[in-house]
Amino acid sequence: MSDGANEHSSPTARTTAATDAVIPLPSNRPAARFYRGGRRITDFRGEPAADDFEPEDWVGSVTPVRGESPSGMTVLADGTLLAGAIAGDPVHWLGPAHVAAFGTDPMLLVKLLDAGQRLPVHAHPDRAWAAAHLGAAHGKTEAWYVLSAGEVHLGLARDLGAIELAGIVDRQDAAALLAAMHRLTVAPGDIVHVPAGVLHAIGEGILLVELQEPEDLSILAEWDGFAIDGAAGGHLGVGFAEALTAVENTARTRADVEALVHRAGTDTPLLPADADAFFRIERHLVRGPVELAPGFAILVVLGGEVGIRSGESGTQLLPRGSTALLPHATGSVTLDGAGELLACRPPAPR
């Protein structure tokens, strides 16, 4: 398994001055995951091909893989964990308002995810359930920025009573479970909000950027055929009778589910208002100077090449597939060049 210092090569950011506005991040792909994938990530980043079971790149992560710390946690160029650097100077990284509201917790994890096979149907607990049952600081609400087209299952199309759902999980009747769910086709640029508790499965062939609460908490409703002992590890250690109480077993209408999806090219909000308590997302199409507001952010260059300049510093050129950290202390930066950039941010302090 990964030792947490899994630093794969990544696209090289070219800098024209010594002072960096942002901190480019190398790949951080925990090894030996239970589902296939990884090649689309390394192709996106312009790296040598990943192993078959490296389907996730944990970007700007202070979160370990559950039970495998420090695997999954971002290591900075000087060898220190990002989590330690933030704890040592939280105002520098996160800003005074964020620290006053949330302490040293960045409140955000970003991943690149490559579904080399359809992922199993699963759900994540919300904050209240995770705190009460696991003593965790967060649940795991998430959102997907889709980079390649495919099919996803999201939410139930019909009610499943607690007994019926438990029986499906016990029998590992994936066909019955998938038949009870909404099936959606997604395209590049679509954004899907996945509230905690909602059953979902990402289809084979999809590459996406995932924003989420910074926890590694999954309740598996399906595991047969995957390289994981779901009967032992799919219930977060509390048993399925208790774990399934965190899972939504009532139907959502098709309109309800479509309301969770921002379709590329439409003028609907990128995320519904309910997502504001968990994370924020900005998409910047750069065709000349664009101002990026100050504040902690995790950046992903979706296409082209984006230049980033702050104050008197030179311009850092980040090609497609680059990921980087923007500390609060950097202040506002100017984007330039010809490309597209995603800025992923924690919830705004209230």
Side-chain angles (χ1 to χ4, degrees):
M1 303 302 290
S2 172
D3 63 1
N6 184 17
E7 296 186 52
H8 301 267
S9 61
S10 64
T12 301
R14 293 179 283 126
T15 308
T16 58
T19 302
D20 288 351
V22 299
I23 301 167
L25 295 172
S27 285
N28 176 32
R29 302 193 303 273
R33 305 300 283 161
F34 68 88
Y35 64 97
R36 292 189 298 274
R39 179 61 184 266
R40 290 177 187 83
I41 293 174
T42 50
D43 286 352
F44 175 64
R45 280 185 166 278
E47 300 174 357
D51 291 341
D52 288 341
F53 287 85
E54 291 184 350
E56 300 169 358
D57 183 346
W58 293 37
V59 184
S61 171
V62 302
T63 306
V65 174
R66 184 172 173 81
E68 299 177 25
S69 182
S71 177
M73 301 180 75
T74 291
V75 180
L76 298 175
D78 64 1
T80 62
L81 289 171
L82 173 62
I86 291 174
D89 193 355
V91 171
H92 170 89
W93 287 95
L94 305 173
H98 182 107
V99 172
F102 307 119
T104 62
D105 185 347
M107 299 290 288
L108 177 67
L109 172 60
V110 173
K111 295 177 184 174
L112 304 179
L113 188 151
D114 168 26
Q117 64 185 115
R118 180 183 63 77
L119 272 63
V121 178
H122 63 288
H124 310 292
D126 64 19
R127 287 175 178 172
W129 192 98
H133 292 81
L134 306 172
H138 311 277
K140 192 173 178 289
T141 291
E142 62 189 41
W144 313 326
Y145 185 97
V146 178
L147 297 177
S148 60
E151 183 179 86
V152 301
H153 289 81
L154 181 65
L156 292 173
R158 70 174 182 88
D159 291 348
L160 292 178
I163 294 174
E164 184 179 7
L165 177 58
I168 287 173
V169 173
D170 185 59
R171 295 191 308 273
Q172 282 299 281
D173 190 348
L177 187 57
L178 291 169
M181 298 178 68
H182 292 282
R183 181 179 299 182
L184 303 174
T185 298
V186 293
D190 289 351
I191 304 173
V192 182
H193 178 52
V194 186
V198 174
L199 287 164
H200 57 279
I202 298 166
E204 180 178 352
I206 293 179
L207 175 68
L208 55 82
V209 181
E210 179 178 289
L211 293 79
Q212 63 166 87
E213 293 180 84
E215 297 284 354
D216 187 24
L217 302 173
S218 294
I219 298 166
L220 298 182
E222 178 193 7
W223 60 83
D224 190 32
F226 293 88
I228 188 171
D229 184 353
H235 51 68
L236 298 174
V238 301
F240 278 107
E242 195 63 40
L244 291 177
T245 65
V247 176
E248 182 177 278
N249 64 356
T250 55
R252 291 182 179 236
T253 68
R254 185 72 180 195
D256 290 338
V257 171
E258 288 289 352
L260 298 174
V261 184
H262 166 85
R263 297 293 184 178
T266 64
D267 60 1
T268 61
L270 297 185
L271 288 170
D274 289 350
D276 291 346
F278 304 103
F279 36 65
R280 295 169 290 159
I281 188 169
E282 303 166 10
R283 182 174 57 200
H284 297 279
L285 185 63
V286 181
R287 297 290 186 270
V290 175
E291 293 302 311
L292 187 62
F296 178 77
I298 296 171
L299 309 179
V300 182
V301 180
L302 303 176
E305 185 175 62
V306 176
I308 300 183
R309 184 177 70 255
S310 173
E312 299 301 318
S313 69
T315 298
Q316 293 169 262
L317 299 176
L318 302 181
R320 175 181 183 268
S322 297
T323 57
L325 291 171
L326 175 65
H328 177 273
T330 300
S332 62
V333 299
T334 301
L335 310 177
D336 211 336
E340 189 173 2
L341 178 139
L342 206 63
C344 308
R345 297 189 189 266
R350 297 185 184 277

